[in-house]
Amino acid sequence: MTDYKTLIDAETWAFIERTNSYYPPDTIDYTIAQQREIYDRMCREFFAGYHDGVAVETSAIATSTHDIPTRIYRSPLQAAVTVLYVHGGGFILGGLDSHDDVCAELCARTGYEVVSVDYRLAPEHLHPAAFDDLMSAFEWAAATPSHPILLCGDSAGGNLCAAVSHATRGHSKRPIGQVLIYPGLGGDRSQGSYITHAEAPMLTTRDLEFYNIRTGGQDGTGDITQSPLADADFANLPPTVLITAQCDPLSSDGEAYRDRIVAAGGRAYWFEEPGLVHGYLRARHTVGRARASFTRIVDAVAALGQGAWLW
């Protein structure tokens, strides 16, 4: 059994306990409506505010069937790069408010325009609804020819970013890079971190099984829009940085995805953050390890936006 008392430091334990006070580990057994209410309240409690100078505009992308809400963050630097940010939440939770301060800080620290996308959630909207919304958002952003597009997302959002990267390889305008933060990419659940960290604080394999509600119980084996690691071809993907948490059943997905890109001749870097847990973005102002990791994320976004490669 993994000894988390030795792997996780006191600061991170304090973050875990604070999170559990707002979002108890048994929340997965509640109704979807109750889970959303609890998650939204937790996100409000961790909200860290905006940096000075960040301008925010809430808007929407019109499609033929519905509007996709967005929130756009701009800094005085007005750098000509658009970051599409895709929030986590197991495909059933989250929205424009849940990652509001994360997007604002990413904008302030890189100078890039950040567009947060409020994709449709399951179970009301089953897969591929969220993927379709991200594709629509990408095509909307691609209509601005002067702005290269960089994808960034955490957890379920990292999954959606990778799926869009795979789907747009043949497009005339493709992502210039992607930064995937503790993403779930459809890895082999019979080995690696799925076994070692099956009962990790903040996310367990039981939680992951529940989040399969995204498909309505349908088997997504081989569907790269659901499980990017199922793709048979990893050539021509954008430069990719994967940043995972050591104490997280999803960590091995980052390693596997890195290996597949590199084997296909691409550029990818995977960093596993020691002693951190799934969802640590909310700890970036209180936990030293999380603060250092968020700086790594900011540096990765900034570098890829400039067409640079630091690793």
Side-chain angles (χ1 to χ4, degrees):
M1 180 177 292
T2 303
D3 184 3
Y4 291 111
K5 291 183 179 179
T6 59
L7 284 178
I8 298 174
D9 65 16
E11 282 187 328
T12 307
W13 272 119
F15 162 70
I16 293 168
E17 291 166 1
R18 184 184 175 197
T19 299
N20 289 343
S21 73
Y22 303 128
Y23 194 89
D26 66 348
T27 300
I28 204 74
D29 296 319
Y30 293 21
T31 68
I32 298 296
Q34 289 171 326
Q35 289 187 47
R36 288 173 180 165
E37 181 181 354
I38 294 168
Y39 182 80
D40 291 345
R41 183 172 66 245
M42 177 191 69
C43 292
R44 288 194 298 271
E45 294 292 339
F46 278 99
F47 180 72
Y50 290 174
H51 284 232
D52 291 342
V54 174
V56 182
E57 173 189 359
T58 300
S59 185
I61 300 167
T63 75
S64 60
T65 58
H66 64 285
D67 290 345
I68 304 168
T70 62
R71 188 165 291 162
I72 304 172
Y73 305 79
R74 298 184 178 95
S75 84
L77 297 179
Q78 296 181 333
V81 174
T82 293
V83 178
L84 282 186
Y85 192 91
V86 192
H87 69 82
F91 304 102
I92 66 169
L93 308 170
L96 296 182
D97 293 337
S98 63
H99 290 62
D100 189 24
D101 55 341
V102 172
C103 293
E105 186 166 352
L106 191 60
C107 169
R109 293 180 60 174
T110 62
Y112 298 163
E113 175 184 77
V114 176
V115 179
S116 177
V117 182
D118 191 8
Y119 55 87
R120 289 171 292 171
L121 299 176
E124 297 90 338
H125 305 282
L126 297 179
H127 178 76
F131 169 76
D132 290 343
D133 283 355
L134 262 297
M135 285 295 295
S136 293
F138 180 85
E139 290 164 1
W140 168 83
T144 304
S146 62
H147 279 208
I149 305 165
L150 192 149
L151 301 175
C152 183
D154 66 285
S155 194
N159 169 285
L160 291 167
C161 287
V164 169
S165 289
H166 285 251
T168 57
R169 280 181 292 185
H171 291 204
S172 58
K173 187 167 184 178
R174 301 175 293 176
I176 60 170
Q178 57 178 344
V179 178
L180 311 181
I181 307 160
Y182 39 78
L185 300 171
D188 184 350
R189 296 190 179 186
S190 69
Q191 61 182 357
S193 59
Y194 285 100
I195 302 301
T196 306
H197 296 290
E199 298 296 328
M202 303 289 282
L203 186 71
T204 67
T205 53
R206 179 171 178 262
D207 297 330
L208 296 177
E209 291 298 328
F210 177 82
Y211 292 137
N212 286 336
I213 194 173
R214 171 195 192 189
T215 66
Q218 297 299 310
D219 183 6
T221 303
D223 179 1
I224 64 171
T225 66
Q226 179 182 340
S227 302
L229 275 168
D231 200 343
D233 181 10
F234 272 69
N236 301 314
L237 287 170
T240 299
V241 178
L242 303 115
I243 300 177
T244 64
Q246 179 187 18
C247 304
D248 180 352
L250 294 175
S251 186
S252 291
D253 282 14
E255 180 180 21
Y257 195 79
R258 184 274 314 270
D259 290 348
R260 296 287 299 278
I261 291 178
V262 171
R267 293 188 295 179
Y269 178 84
W270 168 62
F271 192 91
E272 182 182 68
E273 300 288 8
L276 285 180
V277 292
H278 196 88
Y280 70 77
L281 280 182
R282 290 187 297 274
R284 67 194 186 281
H285 296 144
T286 58
V287 175
R289 290 176 175 179
R291 183 180 301 112
S293 182
F294 191 69
T295 295
R296 197 185 321 277
I297 292 166
V298 169
D299 289 346
V301 170
L304 294 180
Q306 297 167 6
W309 185 248
L310 299 180
W311 297 272

